[in-house]
Short mmCIF file of all heavy atoms in Angstrom, two decimals:
data_model
loop_
_atom_site.label_atom_id
_atom_site.label_comp_id
_atom_site.label_asym_id
_atom_site.label_seq_id
_atom_site.Cartn_x
_atom_site.Cartn_y
_atom_site.Cartn_z
N CYS H 1 0.86 -1.19 -0.02
CA CYS H 1 -0.02 -0.01 0.01
C CYS H 1 0.91 1.23 0.02
O CYS H 1 1.86 1.30 0.73
CB CYS H 1 -0.86 0.00 1.24
SG CYS H 1 -1.95 1.45 1.40
N ILE H 2 0.61 2.20 -0.85
CA ILE H 2 1.41 3.43 -0.86
C ILE H 2 0.69 4.63 -0.34
O ILE H 2 1.28 5.68 -0.11
CB ILE H 2 1.94 3.73 -2.29
CG1 ILE H 2 0.77 3.93 -3.28
CG2 ILE H 2 2.85 2.62 -2.77
CD1 ILE H 2 1.21 4.45 -4.59
N LYS H 3 -0.67 4.48 -0.02
CA LYS H 3 -1.39 5.61 0.48
C LYS H 3 -2.71 5.06 1.09
O LYS H 3 -3.25 4.06 0.60
CB LYS H 3 -1.69 6.57 -0.62
CG LYS H 3 -2.41 7.84 -0.23
CD LYS H 3 -2.62 8.74 -1.46
CE LYS H 3 -3.47 9.93 -1.07
NZ LYS H 3 -3.74 10.76 -2.27
N GLY H 4 -3.22 5.78 2.08
CA GLY H 4 -4.50 5.42 2.62
C GLY H 4 -5.08 6.57 3.41
O GLY H 4 -4.41 7.60 3.58
N LYS H 5 -6.29 6.42 3.86
CA LYS H 5 -6.98 7.47 4.61
C LYS H 5 -7.64 6.91 5.84
O LYS H 5 -8.27 5.86 5.77
CB LYS H 5 -8.04 8.15 3.80
CG LYS H 5 -7.54 8.93 2.59
CD LYS H 5 -8.70 9.52 1.86
CE LYS H 5 -8.25 10.23 0.57
NZ LYS H 5 -9.37 10.75 -0.20
N LEU H 6 -7.54 7.59 6.95
CA LEU H 6 -8.27 7.35 8.19
C LEU H 6 -7.91 6.02 8.89
O LEU H 6 -7.46 5.11 8.25
CB LEU H 6 -9.79 7.40 7.97
CG LEU H 6 -10.31 8.70 7.27
CD1 LEU H 6 -11.78 8.57 7.03
CD2 LEU H 6 -9.96 9.90 8.09
N ALA H 7 -8.15 6.00 10.15
CA ALA H 7 -7.87 4.83 11.01
C ALA H 7 -9.02 3.83 10.84
O ALA H 7 -10.13 4.21 10.58
CB ALA H 7 -7.75 5.25 12.45
N CYS H 8 -8.71 2.56 11.06
CA CYS H 8 -9.73 1.56 11.12
C CYS H 8 -10.47 1.69 12.44
O CYS H 8 -9.88 2.05 13.45
CB CYS H 8 -9.17 0.18 11.01
SG CYS H 8 -8.75 -0.32 9.33
N PRO H 9 -11.74 1.41 12.46
CA PRO H 9 -12.51 1.44 13.74
C PRO H 9 -12.08 0.28 14.60
O PRO H 9 -11.62 -0.74 14.13
CB PRO H 9 -13.95 1.30 13.25
CG PRO H 9 -13.88 0.60 11.98
CD PRO H 9 -12.59 1.06 11.33
N PRO H 10 -12.15 0.47 15.89
CA PRO H 10 -11.77 -0.62 16.83
C PRO H 10 -12.76 -1.80 16.70
O PRO H 10 -13.91 -1.63 16.29
CB PRO H 10 -11.89 0.01 18.20
CG PRO H 10 -12.44 1.35 18.06
CD PRO H 10 -12.59 1.67 16.63
N GLU H 11 -12.24 -2.94 17.00
CA GLU H 11 -13.07 -4.17 16.98
C GLU H 11 -14.27 -3.99 17.87
O GLU H 11 -14.18 -3.44 18.97
CB GLU H 11 -12.25 -5.39 17.43
CG GLU H 11 -11.16 -5.79 16.52
CD GLU H 11 -11.65 -6.53 15.26
OE1 GLU H 11 -12.77 -7.07 15.31
OE2 GLU H 11 -10.90 -6.52 14.27
N ASP H 12 -15.41 -4.54 17.43
CA ASP H 12 -16.62 -4.62 18.23
C ASP H 12 -17.10 -3.25 18.77
O ASP H 12 -17.61 -3.17 19.87
CB ASP H 12 -16.42 -5.62 19.43
CG ASP H 12 -16.11 -7.01 18.89
OD1 ASP H 12 -16.67 -7.41 17.87
OD2 ASP H 12 -15.27 -7.67 19.51
N ILE H 13 -16.99 -2.24 17.91
CA ILE H 13 -17.43 -0.92 18.36
C ILE H 13 -18.91 -0.73 18.18
O ILE H 13 -19.53 0.22 18.68
CB ILE H 13 -16.60 0.17 17.57
CG1 ILE H 13 -16.82 1.58 18.20
CG2 ILE H 13 -17.01 0.22 16.11
CD1 ILE H 13 -16.35 1.74 19.61
N GLY H 14 -19.59 -1.58 17.43
CA GLY H 14 -21.03 -1.47 17.22
C GLY H 14 -21.43 -0.89 15.90
O GLY H 14 -22.44 -0.18 15.81
N GLY H 15 -20.55 -1.07 14.90
CA GLY H 15 -20.88 -0.53 13.61
C GLY H 15 -20.67 0.96 13.48
O GLY H 15 -20.04 1.57 14.32
N VAL H 16 -21.22 1.53 12.42
CA VAL H 16 -21.04 2.94 12.12
C VAL H 16 -21.54 3.81 13.27
O VAL H 16 -20.89 4.75 13.72
CB VAL H 16 -21.76 3.33 10.80
CG1 VAL H 16 -21.74 4.83 10.58
CG2 VAL H 16 -21.13 2.61 9.63
N TRP H 17 -22.74 3.47 13.80
CA TRP H 17 -23.34 4.31 14.86
C TRP H 17 -22.54 4.24 16.14
O TRP H 17 -22.39 5.23 16.82
CB TRP H 17 -24.74 3.91 15.06
CG TRP H 17 -25.54 3.89 13.80
CD1 TRP H 17 -26.15 2.84 13.21
CD2 TRP H 17 -25.73 5.00 12.89
NE1 TRP H 17 -26.71 3.18 11.99
CE2 TRP H 17 -26.46 4.51 11.76
CE3 TRP H 17 -25.32 6.32 12.89
CZ2 TRP H 17 -26.80 5.32 10.70
CZ3 TRP H 17 -25.66 7.11 11.81
CH2 TRP H 17 -26.38 6.60 10.71
N GLY H 18 -22.03 3.04 16.46
CA GLY H 18 -21.20 2.91 17.67
C GLY H 18 -19.90 3.70 17.53
O GLY H 18 -19.40 4.32 18.47
N TYR H 19 -19.33 3.71 16.31
CA TYR H 19 -18.11 4.42 16.06
C TYR H 19 -18.35 5.95 16.20
O TYR H 19 -17.54 6.66 16.87
CB TYR H 19 -17.56 4.08 14.64
CG TYR H 19 -16.22 4.72 14.37
CD1 TYR H 19 -15.12 4.40 15.10
CD2 TYR H 19 -16.06 5.57 13.30
CE1 TYR H 19 -13.85 4.95 14.81
CE2 TYR H 19 -14.81 6.12 12.96
CZ TYR H 19 -13.74 5.80 13.73
OH TYR H 19 -12.52 6.37 13.45
N TYR H 20 -19.42 6.44 15.65
CA TYR H 20 -19.74 7.87 15.76
C TYR H 20 -19.96 8.27 17.23
O TYR H 20 -19.57 9.31 17.64
CB TYR H 20 -20.91 8.26 14.89
CG TYR H 20 -20.57 8.35 13.42
CD1 TYR H 20 -21.46 7.92 12.47
CD2 TYR H 20 -19.34 8.89 12.99
CE1 TYR H 20 -21.14 7.98 11.11
CE2 TYR H 20 -19.06 8.95 11.63
CZ TYR H 20 -19.95 8.51 10.73
OH TYR H 20 -19.64 8.59 9.37
N GLU H 21 -20.61 7.38 17.96
CA GLU H 21 -20.82 7.63 19.41
C GLU H 21 -19.48 7.72 20.14
O GLU H 21 -19.29 8.60 20.97
CB GLU H 21 -21.73 6.61 20.04
CG GLU H 21 -21.95 6.87 21.52
CD GLU H 21 -22.75 5.82 22.24
OE1 GLU H 21 -23.22 4.87 21.61
OE2 GLU H 21 -22.90 5.94 23.44
N MET H 22 -18.60 6.77 19.79
CA MET H 22 -17.25 6.81 20.47
C MET H 22 -16.54 8.08 20.15
O MET H 22 -15.99 8.71 20.99
CB MET H 22 -16.45 5.63 19.97
CG MET H 22 -15.08 5.58 20.60
SD MET H 22 -13.92 4.48 19.78
CE MET H 22 -13.44 5.57 18.41
N LEU H 23 -16.55 8.52 18.86
CA LEU H 23 -15.83 9.75 18.46
C LEU H 23 -16.40 10.93 19.24
O LEU H 23 -15.70 11.80 19.71
CB LEU H 23 -15.92 10.00 16.97
CG LEU H 23 -15.20 8.97 16.10
CD1 LEU H 23 -15.42 9.29 14.63
CD2 LEU H 23 -13.69 8.96 16.41
N GLU H 24 -17.75 11.02 19.36
CA GLU H 24 -18.41 12.08 20.09
C GLU H 24 -17.99 12.05 21.58
O GLU H 24 -17.67 13.08 22.18
CB GLU H 24 -19.94 11.94 19.92
CG GLU H 24 -20.73 13.02 20.64
CD GLU H 24 -22.20 12.82 20.49
OE1 GLU H 24 -22.64 12.49 19.36
OE2 GLU H 24 -22.91 13.01 21.46
N ALA H 25 -18.04 10.87 22.15
CA ALA H 25 -17.69 10.74 23.60
C ALA H 25 -16.22 11.08 23.85
O ALA H 25 -15.95 11.67 24.89
CB ALA H 25 -18.02 9.29 24.04
N LEU H 26 -15.35 10.72 22.94
CA LEU H 26 -13.91 11.06 23.14
C LEU H 26 -13.68 12.56 23.16
O LEU H 26 -12.80 13.01 23.84
CB LEU H 26 -13.07 10.40 22.11
CG LEU H 26 -12.93 8.85 22.20
CD1 LEU H 26 -12.17 8.28 21.02
CD2 LEU H 26 -12.27 8.44 23.51
N GLN H 27 -14.45 13.32 22.40
CA GLN H 27 -14.27 14.74 22.30
C GLN H 27 -14.99 15.52 23.39
O GLN H 27 -14.73 16.69 23.63
CB GLN H 27 -14.74 15.25 20.92
CG GLN H 27 -13.86 14.73 19.82
CD GLN H 27 -14.41 15.17 18.46
OE1 GLN H 27 -15.38 15.97 18.32
NE2 GLN H 27 -13.76 14.71 17.42
N ASP H 28 -15.93 14.90 24.07
CA ASP H 28 -16.80 15.58 25.05
C ASP H 28 -16.53 14.98 26.45
O ASP H 28 -17.09 13.91 26.76
CB ASP H 28 -18.26 15.47 24.63
CG ASP H 28 -19.20 16.12 25.59
OD1 ASP H 28 -18.78 16.74 26.59
OD2 ASP H 28 -20.43 16.03 25.31
N THR H 29 -15.82 15.66 27.26
CA THR H 29 -15.51 15.11 28.60
C THR H 29 -16.72 14.98 29.46
O THR H 29 -16.73 14.22 30.46
CB THR H 29 -14.51 16.04 29.33
OG1 THR H 29 -15.00 17.35 29.40
CG2 THR H 29 -13.16 16.04 28.59
N SER H 30 -17.85 15.62 29.10
CA SER H 30 -19.07 15.50 29.92
C SER H 30 -19.99 14.36 29.42
O SER H 30 -20.97 14.04 30.03
CB SER H 30 -19.90 16.81 29.93
OG SER H 30 -20.35 17.08 28.65
N HIS H 31 -19.60 13.73 28.33
CA HIS H 31 -20.34 12.59 27.79
C HIS H 31 -20.33 11.42 28.81
O HIS H 31 -19.31 11.15 29.37
CB HIS H 31 -19.76 12.14 26.45
CG HIS H 31 -20.60 11.17 25.74
ND1 HIS H 31 -20.72 9.86 26.05
CD2 HIS H 31 -21.36 11.38 24.58
CE1 HIS H 31 -21.56 9.27 25.19
NE2 HIS H 31 -21.95 10.17 24.29
N PRO H 32 -21.46 10.79 29.05
CA PRO H 32 -21.50 9.72 30.08
C PRO H 32 -20.57 8.55 29.77
O PRO H 32 -20.18 7.82 30.70
CB PRO H 32 -22.97 9.30 30.08
CG PRO H 32 -23.63 9.93 28.92
CD PRO H 32 -22.78 11.04 28.46
N GLU H 33 -20.15 8.36 28.51
CA GLU H 33 -19.29 7.23 28.17
C GLU H 33 -17.85 7.65 27.95
O GLU H 33 -17.01 6.81 27.60
CB GLU H 33 -19.84 6.50 26.92
CG GLU H 33 -21.17 5.82 27.13
CD GLU H 33 -21.03 4.68 28.16
OE1 GLU H 33 -20.03 3.92 28.12
OE2 GLU H 33 -21.96 4.56 29.00
N HIS H 34 -17.53 8.92 28.15
CA HIS H 34 -16.21 9.43 27.89
C HIS H 34 -15.13 8.63 28.60
O HIS H 34 -14.20 8.14 27.94
CB HIS H 34 -16.11 10.93 28.30
CG HIS H 34 -14.73 11.50 28.09
ND1 HIS H 34 -14.28 11.91 26.86
CD2 HIS H 34 -13.70 11.70 28.97
CE1 HIS H 34 -13.03 12.35 26.99
NE2 HIS H 34 -12.66 12.26 28.24
N THR H 35 -15.24 8.42 29.87
CA THR H 35 -14.21 7.72 30.62
C THR H 35 -14.09 6.26 30.17
O THR H 35 -12.97 5.78 30.05
CB THR H 35 -14.53 7.78 32.15
OG1 THR H 35 -14.60 9.16 32.54
CG2 THR H 35 -13.49 7.09 32.98
N ASN H 36 -15.23 5.61 29.90
CA ASN H 36 -15.17 4.21 29.50
C ASN H 36 -14.43 4.09 28.15
O ASN H 36 -13.58 3.16 27.99
CB ASN H 36 -16.60 3.67 29.33
CG ASN H 36 -17.26 3.46 30.66
OD1 ASN H 36 -16.61 3.32 31.69
ND2 ASN H 36 -18.58 3.51 30.66
N PHE H 37 -14.69 5.01 27.21
CA PHE H 37 -13.99 4.93 25.92
C PHE H 37 -12.51 5.23 26.05
O PHE H 37 -11.68 4.60 25.40
CB PHE H 37 -14.67 5.85 24.86
CG PHE H 37 -15.90 5.27 24.25
CD1 PHE H 37 -17.13 5.90 24.38
CD2 PHE H 37 -15.86 4.05 23.59
CE1 PHE H 37 -18.25 5.39 23.78
CE2 PHE H 37 -16.98 3.51 23.00
CZ PHE H 37 -18.24 4.20 23.11
N ILE H 38 -12.19 6.18 26.95
CA ILE H 38 -10.77 6.56 27.14
C ILE H 38 -10.05 5.32 27.67
O ILE H 38 -8.92 4.97 27.26
CB ILE H 38 -10.62 7.73 28.08
CG1 ILE H 38 -11.11 9.04 27.41
CG2 ILE H 38 -9.20 7.86 28.59
CD1 ILE H 38 -10.25 9.56 26.29
N GLU H 39 -10.64 4.63 28.63
CA GLU H 39 -10.01 3.41 29.24
C GLU H 39 -9.87 2.32 28.20
O GLU H 39 -8.96 1.56 28.22
CB GLU H 39 -10.84 2.95 30.44
CG GLU H 39 -10.73 3.85 31.64
CD GLU H 39 -11.68 3.44 32.77
OE1 GLU H 39 -12.42 2.45 32.63
OE2 GLU H 39 -11.65 4.13 33.80
N TRP H 40 -10.84 2.22 27.30
CA TRP H 40 -10.88 1.13 26.29
C TRP H 40 -9.91 1.45 25.14
O TRP H 40 -9.04 0.61 24.79
CB TRP H 40 -12.26 0.90 25.75
CG TRP H 40 -12.40 -0.19 24.73
CD1 TRP H 40 -11.71 -1.34 24.73
CD2 TRP H 40 -13.15 -0.17 23.57
NE1 TRP H 40 -12.09 -2.10 23.62
CE2 TRP H 40 -12.97 -1.39 22.89
CE3 TRP H 40 -14.06 0.77 23.02
CZ2 TRP H 40 -13.62 -1.71 21.69
CZ3 TRP H 40 -14.69 0.45 21.83
CH2 TRP H 40 -14.50 -0.78 21.22
N ILE H 41 -10.04 2.60 24.52
CA ILE H 41 -9.33 2.86 23.30
C ILE H 41 -8.07 3.73 23.51
O ILE H 41 -7.20 3.79 22.68
CB ILE H 41 -10.28 3.56 22.24
CG1 ILE H 41 -9.69 3.47 20.82
CG2 ILE H 41 -10.54 4.99 22.58
CD1 ILE H 41 -9.71 2.09 20.26
N GLY H 42 -8.03 4.40 24.63
CA GLY H 42 -6.91 5.29 24.93
C GLY H 42 -7.18 6.70 24.60
O GLY H 42 -7.94 7.00 23.68
N LYS H 43 -6.54 7.64 25.30
CA LYS H 43 -6.74 9.03 25.04
C LYS H 43 -6.07 9.53 23.79
O LYS H 43 -6.37 10.63 23.32
CB LYS H 43 -6.35 9.89 26.22
CG LYS H 43 -4.87 9.86 26.53
CD LYS H 43 -4.56 10.72 27.69
CE LYS H 43 -3.00 10.67 27.98
NZ LYS H 43 -2.64 11.51 29.06
N ASP H 44 -5.13 8.77 23.21
CA ASP H 44 -4.40 9.21 22.06
C ASP H 44 -4.92 8.69 20.75
O ASP H 44 -4.34 8.83 19.68
CB ASP H 44 -2.94 8.78 22.18
CG ASP H 44 -2.22 9.44 23.34
OD1 ASP H 44 -2.57 10.61 23.62
OD2 ASP H 44 -1.39 8.83 23.97
#
């Protein structure tokens, strides 16, 4: 492969909707799942 775009979603994230929820939660520290996603996927 010489070029690509974007990261692969994590395993068992729950499809497109689960991935979007994770992205929203990672950006919003007040999101109820923020801490859980940080612990699972990491803050980086």
Side-chain angles (χ1 to χ4, degrees):
C1 177
I2 60 170
K3 184 178 174 185
K5 295 179 184 177
L6 307 177
C8 280
E11 291 285 338
D12 300 322
I13 192 64
V16 173
W17 308 118
Y19 185 61
Y20 285 140
E21 179 183 358
M22 181 198 77
L23 293 177
E24 182 181 318
L26 289 175
Q27 293 177 4
D28 180 1
T29 57
S30 66
H31 191 286
E33 294 296 318
H34 177 80
T35 302
N36 290 336
F37 280 120
I38 291 289
E39 288 174 0
W40 179 40
I41 199 69
K43 65 180 181 178
D44 296 326

